[in-house]
Amino acid sequence: MGGHTIDCSRLFSIFMTLSFAITYSTGIIDQGFDCWTRHEDQITLLCQDWNSKCYYQVIHLEGVIPKRRFNLTGYSREKMSNAVAPYYNNSTASFRQVIKLIHDVETNPGPDNYSVNQQKNSTDLKIAHLNARSLKNRHHYLLIKETILSNKFDVFTVSETWLDSKITDLEIEIPGYNIYRVDRENKTGGGVCIYVRQIYKTICLRDISSISASGFHQLWLKVQVRHLKSIIISTVYRPPNTPTSCFDSDLAANFVYASSLCAPIYILGDLNCNLLKPEASDCKVLGNFCSSYNLTQLIREPTRVTEQTSSLLDIILVSDIKQVRESFVKHSSVSDHDLVYLTLRLKKPRTKPVYVNIRSFKHYNREAFYNDISQAPWSVIDVFTDIDDKVNAFNTMFNDILNQHAPIKSIKKFRGEVKREIKLAEREFVLNQIEKDPGNSNNIWKSIRLCIPKKSSSQRIFSQSRFFASVGKSAVDKINDLANEFGFECDRDRFTPRQYPLTEQFSFKEVEPARVGSIISS
């Protein structure tokens, strides 16, 4: 973009590419643009290059025709044809604060609500995937960071990160998120990673997270969301030159391993299979894999659209579709792939039942039990000389006979379930009584009084304490009444305790430490 040079040494050394849209009929710039000034029928656009030089150019409103609409995080944008300035597939939404430093330039804030979904239930989990085509690209990284933070995604998976060991986690970190990654070191491109909120307990399944010999990328995580059930999330990527046989050789084996963890599985990624052409050989192989392992593919719209082609490459495979609340495709300007997204409605784990052991007297016969007890060879106990052995022999013989007549069984403890059912029944009864005659206030208060305890626990405890405190006096009065009834003199032959000399009374004596040590060592 040519034009005049502006002195902007106080700006950061960043690269800003500017995409724009102008409506032909009205000449209004779309809300997706970040900086512009308008004077009559002219638009002034701003851009910065790698040398920290800013350029601006005057664009006339003639001959500009919008062609295709797409957006990222709710901002509407237009791909243009016949425009004076070229189109760049990166947004400048991350540079608003820098743009404000420039004199006489307006910043377009866009719509107030630009996130995918502001309403979020406490049991909802938002998961998204995007083929970024290089997280090394600083602009891609900043756009993905803005997308994650503005939409408050819980888990965000990325394919084609193009990362290697030279790029540290610190360079691509996002506040509040942990990053897990699998890089391709032997050649450029490829690579996958996952951003997960730090508040969730996450375990990386490293045994099944790798890049296979065929080139298939896999990264598996087990995520525990608060007190809800755990889930398994995987991001996958199949390069175009990797054979589809990797679904059975690489993905299937790891899927079986993950299934043994007894948690729902969600697979997101780019498999380079155009599912809009179901008759293609690669689509048939993927379809056979999904049907073999009872997986459901949620995405139905194209995820990569160009001027000539439209294809569905990015997929979401789920093992439990009942937990899926919604799923859709969101247009993105980060790369030529769109963002796929789903929301899960997780469930609380069911409390494990408690079992107790009891004896079953359903078929108990007292006479038969007495007969077996009387005929038992109890004389065997006299063979043993040690008292513990005798007790053990007795218990063994007695329990063997008792188990024959009253066997031990494990039953489920229904105390909690019974209380819950009673509470539900009481609530339903009260509601029915109130709804039966809503105009009768006496009937309503009568129903309400049924829910109020008649006596407090403190009064009950006080009455019990008063009873135990009066036991001594009641016993003395009873003894005196019996003595008077039978003519017995209570004061005659009163018991006098025996007096023991001090030498025979119990007392603690001082012991030397050496004596204690000798006793312990012996």
Side-chain angles (χ1 to χ4, degrees), residues 61-331:
L61 298 180
E62 296 180 317
V64 182
I65 304 173
K67 187 171 184 180
R68 173 180 178 256
R69 176 177 294 276
F70 70 103
N71 58 62
L72 171 70
T73 64
Y75 288 106
S76 300
R77 302 184 185 274
E78 301 284 344
K79 276 189 177 180
M80 309 300 300
S81 63
N82 301 327
V84 177
Y87 165 76
Y88 296 92
N89 62 352
N90 288 321
S91 168
T92 59
S94 300
F95 309 105
R96 295 190 186 91
Q97 300 302 325
V98 178
I99 293 172
K100 289 180 180 179
L101 298 176
I102 303 174
H103 178 67
D104 196 24
V105 176
E106 298 182 19
T107 59
N108 192 331
D112 295 335
N113 183 4
Y114 56 89
S115 64
V116 173
N117 187 2
Q118 293 290 343
Q119 296 181 353
K120 185 177 185 296
N121 193 285
S122 59
T123 61
D124 287 355
L125 187 73
K126 300 169 65 174
I127 308 174
H129 170 80
L130 178 65
N131 185 322
R133 295 188 60 82
S134 180
L135 272 178
K136 287 183 177 180
N137 188 317
R138 191 64 179 174
H139 312 293
H140 290 191
Y141 160 69
L142 291 175
L143 289 174
I144 290 176
K145 178 180 178 180
E146 181 187 5
T147 301
I148 294 176
L149 296 179
S150 61
N151 292 283
K152 299 180 181 179
F153 287 120
D154 298 297
V155 180
F156 194 90
T157 68
V158 184
S159 59
E160 285 204 73
T161 59
W162 296 12
L163 300 177
D164 51 36
S165 58
K166 298 178 181 179
I167 307 298
T168 63
D169 292 346
L170 187 62
E171 298 179 59
I172 55 174
E173 71 171 352
I174 296 178
Y177 290 81
N178 292 326
I179 182 173
Y180 303 86
R181 48 192 272 195
V182 173
D183 303 336
R184 183 161 64 175
E185 298 289 348
N186 55 351
K187 59 189 299 186
T188 59
V192 292
C193 74
I194 301 179
Y195 290 96
V196 185
R197 283 187 181 273
Q198 294 177 350
I199 59 176
Y200 301 150
K201 181 181 178 181
T202 306
I203 300 175
C204 181
L205 307 180
R206 301 190 181 278
D207 295 338
I208 56 177
S209 299
S210 62
I211 300 177
S212 63
S214 63
F216 189 72
H217 299 49
Q218 300 180 78
L219 176 57
W220 295 79
L221 302 180
K222 184 177 181 181
V223 182
Q224 173 71 49
V225 182
R226 294 181 292 273
H227 58 282
L228 306 176
K229 288 184 177 180
S230 300
I231 62 172
I232 295 177
I233 299 175
S234 172
T235 181
V236 296
Y237 172 65
R238 183 182 76 90
N241 58 349
T242 299
T244 55
S245 59
C246 65
F247 296 151
D248 295 327
S249 60
D250 301 326
L251 182 58
N254 292 348
F255 180 83
V256 172
Y257 176 88
S259 301
S260 64
L261 302 179
C262 301
I265 300 176
Y266 302 91
I267 303 175
L268 304 90
D270 179 7
L271 296 181
N272 275 304
C273 297
N274 187 5
L275 299 182
L276 297 181
K277 298 179 179 180
E279 299 300 326
S281 59
D282 53 356
C283 293
K284 290 182 179 180
V285 174
L286 180 59
N288 293 334
F289 171 80
C290 294
S291 59
S292 299
Y293 295 97
N294 196 24
L295 295 174
T296 304
Q297 207 287 111
L298 301 180
I299 304 303
R300 296 291 182 265
E301 303 176 21
T303 60
R304 185 175 183 270
V305 179
T306 63
E307 295 182 358
Q308 293 81 18
T309 61
S310 177
S311 54
L312 199 169
L313 304 179
D314 304 273
I315 52 88
I316 299 179
L317 304 178
V318 301
S319 63
D320 186 6
I321 196 172
K322 295 181 180 179
Q323 291 190 351
V324 178
R325 182 180 178 184
E326 59 182 352
S327 62
F328 52 83
V329 177
K330 196 72 176 176
H331 296 301

Side-chain angles (χ1 to χ4, degrees), residues 27-53:
I28 299 175
I29 292 187
D30 189 80
Q31 293 187 18
F33 305 104
D34 300 289
C35 59
W36 54 274
T37 57
R38 176 178 177 179
H39 179 68
E40 295 181 353
D41 60 345
Q42 294 180 350
I43 300 295
T44 302
L45 303 177
L46 177 72
C47 184
Q48 181 183 12
D49 67 1
W50 285 106
N51 297 320
S52 300
K53 294 182 179 181

